[in-house]
């Protein structure tokens, strides 16, 4: 069968072309992709050849798509609305770097997630990133009233801040890019700080005693180190006081250095790392999307036809100050 796909042929060279796919097996469905959302952090590293979990060039990136069943299997019938966390089946000679930016996705029934009727397909195309954000929030185990700083307002940082507010936390967000903070504002974030020469004084004014949770979504080790002093102290008198938490909700290109004496010993800081989401966390996100308790549309406003994918990746790479992500619309390809 023929399919259109977004292929990274070489470092930072993206093309859109038509390719041949093998026929699906008896236990596999074929999904007609409606939307796929770019995850800039992971995918730009793939395109630059710096993602350790990615495969060789040429490759198809992307790990979050939504669409409808074209060929059914198992309990799935044509027309069913579904989500897929990327596709491992790619055209011959092309590797799957999660493989989600593809017109027709072939996948085993076990990997396909049925979408509730009330979930918008465009929002569902960002379900992987939303679920990763939910995973970070669940790992942080926040309490209502906790003071939280989310560093980095890329896609996952934006989503994490929104979920933490729903958990009853007092949330502040920080980024050096004003456009990202503007998106945070449209998502309902009140306390927004542009990182500049006076940093971190603005956060000290808001939270004089420090934050209970520092969630880093930047993936930049130097940013983590710069923000560690914002973690609140831990009482020596009340030995049962909970420890402050550092949540690393990003993948880092190298090691993250943490000072032992002040952060790890005196503050007895809990360091929480996040790898990927769990199925029940994805289901929690779907329930929120179904009931309209979580509106993420402001983060997904830049939607382009799949033919513009090369330009979208180039803009994310060269003009990150203006863009959070792009959603690829596949409807024009059919």
């Amino acid at each position: 069968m023929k399919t259109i796909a977004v292929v990274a042929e070489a470092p930072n060279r993206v093309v859109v072309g038509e390719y041949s796919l093998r026929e699906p097996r008896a236990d596999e469905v074929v999904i007609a992709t409606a939307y796929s959302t770019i995850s800039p952090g992971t995918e730009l590293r793939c395109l630059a050849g710096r993602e350790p979990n990615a495969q060789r060039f040429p490759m198809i990136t992307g790990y979050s798509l939504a669409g409808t069943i074209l060929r059914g299997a198992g309990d799935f019938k044509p027309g069913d609305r579904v989500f897929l966390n990327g596709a491992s089946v790619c055209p011959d000679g092309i590797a799957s770097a999660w493989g989600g930016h593809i017109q027709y996705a072939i996948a085993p029934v076990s990997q396909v997630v049925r979408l509730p009727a009330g979930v918008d397909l465009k929002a569902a195309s960002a379900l992987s990133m939303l679920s990763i954000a939910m995973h970070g929030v669940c790992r942080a185990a926040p309490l209502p009233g906790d003071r939280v700083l989310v560093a980095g307002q890329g896609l996952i940082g934006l989503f994490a801040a929104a979920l933490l507010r729903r958990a009853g936390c007092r949330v502040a967000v920080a980024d050096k890019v004003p456009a990202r903070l503007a998106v945070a504002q449209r998502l309902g974030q009140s306390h927004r700080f542009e990182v500049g020469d006076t940093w971190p004084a603005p956060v000290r004014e808001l939270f004089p005693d420090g934050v209970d949770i520092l969630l880093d979504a930047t993936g930049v080790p130097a940013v983590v180190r710069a923000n560690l002093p914002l973690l609140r102290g831990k009482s020596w008198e009340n030995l049962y006081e909970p420890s402050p938490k550092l949540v690393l909700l990003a993948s880092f290109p190298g090691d993250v250095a943490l000072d032992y004496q002040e952060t790890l010993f005196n503050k007895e800081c809990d360091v929480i790392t996040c790898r990927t989401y769990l199925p029940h966390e994805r289901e929690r996100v779907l329930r929120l999307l179904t009931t309209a308790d979580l509106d993420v549309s402001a983060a997904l406003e830049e939607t382009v036809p799949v033919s513009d994918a090369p330009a979208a990746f180039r803009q994310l790479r060269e003009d990150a100050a203006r863009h959070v992500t792009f959603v690829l619309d596949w409807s024009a390809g059919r």
Side-chain angles (χ1 to χ4, degrees):
M1 61 183 293
K2 297 292 186 180
T3 187
I4 296 170
V6 180
V7 177
E9 293 185 322
N12 295 327
R13 188 168 81 231
V14 176
V15 300
V16 178
E18 186 177 64
Y19 304 87
S20 294
L21 276 179
R22 68 163 174 79
E23 291 300 313
R25 301 186 178 112
D27 65 340
E28 293 176 328
V29 302
V30 178
I31 300 168
T33 303
Y35 299 99
S36 59
T37 295
I38 297 172
S39 179
T42 299
E43 294 188 52
L44 290 182
R45 283 196 303 276
C46 288
L47 268 57
R50 297 198 304 266
E51 173 54 54
N53 294 318
Q55 298 189 47
R56 66 192 185 281
F57 292 100
M59 67 174 75
I60 298 174
T61 63
Y63 59 92
S64 196
L65 68 92
T68 56
I69 296 291
L70 187 66
R71 176 195 179 277
D75 293 332
F76 292 99
K77 298 178 176 57
D80 287 350
R81 301 162 72 254
V82 295
F83 162 80
L84 187 65
N85 187 41
S88 58
V89 178
C90 287
D92 287 344
I94 299 176
S96 171
W98 298 281
H101 297 311
I102 194 165
Q103 180 186 21
Y104 298 119
I106 297 175
V109 169
S110 60
Q111 295 179 6
V112 183
V113 177
R114 190 184 305 276
L115 292 174
V119 175
D120 175 70
L121 279 177
K122 186 190 290 189
S125 75
L127 186 56
S128 286
M129 288 70 88
L130 278 161
S131 300
I132 290 168
M134 177 65 84
H135 180 63
V137 172
C138 289
R139 294 269 289 156
L143 296 173
D146 274 354
R147 300 157 295 183
V148 182
L149 173 65
V150 178
Q153 287 296 275
L155 200 57
I156 290 175
L158 286 164
F159 292 159
L163 292 169
L164 285 161
R165 289 198 311 276
R166 288 200 77 267
C169 298
R170 297 179 59 200
V171 181
V173 301
D175 203 292
K176 63 180 181 180
V177 180
R180 292 179 178 180
L181 296 173
V183 176
Q185 182 179 21
R186 295 200 295 277
L187 287 175
Q189 180 61 50
S190 300
H191 302 297
R192 305 173 306 279
F193 299 109
E194 182 177 350
V195 178
D197 294 339
T198 62
W199 186 259
V203 179
R204 287 289 190 196
E205 292 180 12
L206 179 65
F207 299 131
D209 297 324
V211 298
D212 302 289
I213 299 172
L214 169 60
L215 187 148
D216 182 88
T218 69
V220 180
V223 172
V224 178
R225 292 194 298 272
N227 287 330
L228 285 177
L230 292 170
L231 285 167
R232 65 162 171 80
K234 185 173 182 180
S235 172
W236 287 93
E237 288 74 33
N238 178 11
L239 299 181
Y240 291 98
E241 181 183 34
S243 296
K245 301 169 185 176
L246 170 64
V247 182
L248 301 177
L249 185 59
S251 54
F252 290 81
D255 293 335
V256 179
L258 305 176
D259 67 281
Y260 177 78
Q261 187 63 36
E262 181 58 28
T263 300
L264 299 181
F265 182 77
N266 284 345
K267 294 182 178 180
E268 207 171 49
C269 174
D270 290 337
V271 180
I272 299 167
T273 58
C274 304
R275 187 175 62 172
T276 189
Y277 64 85
L278 302 175
H280 76 274
E281 293 162 341
R282 181 187 61 222
E283 295 306 310
R284 289 183 67 179
V285 172
L286 282 174
R287 285 198 297 273
L288 292 176
L289 292 175
T290 302
T291 58
D293 283 345
L294 183 65
D295 182 3
V296 297
S297 57
L300 306 175
E301 290 176 346
E302 294 197 270
T303 302
V304 299
V306 69
S307 57
D308 289 350
F313 277 106
R314 185 175 60 254
Q315 290 178 69
L316 287 170
R317 184 175 69 251
E318 298 177 357
D319 197 5
R322 292 181 54 195
H323 309 285
V324 171
T325 189
F326 284 94
V327 179
L328 304 183
D329 182 349
W330 292 83
S331 61
R334 291 190 289 275

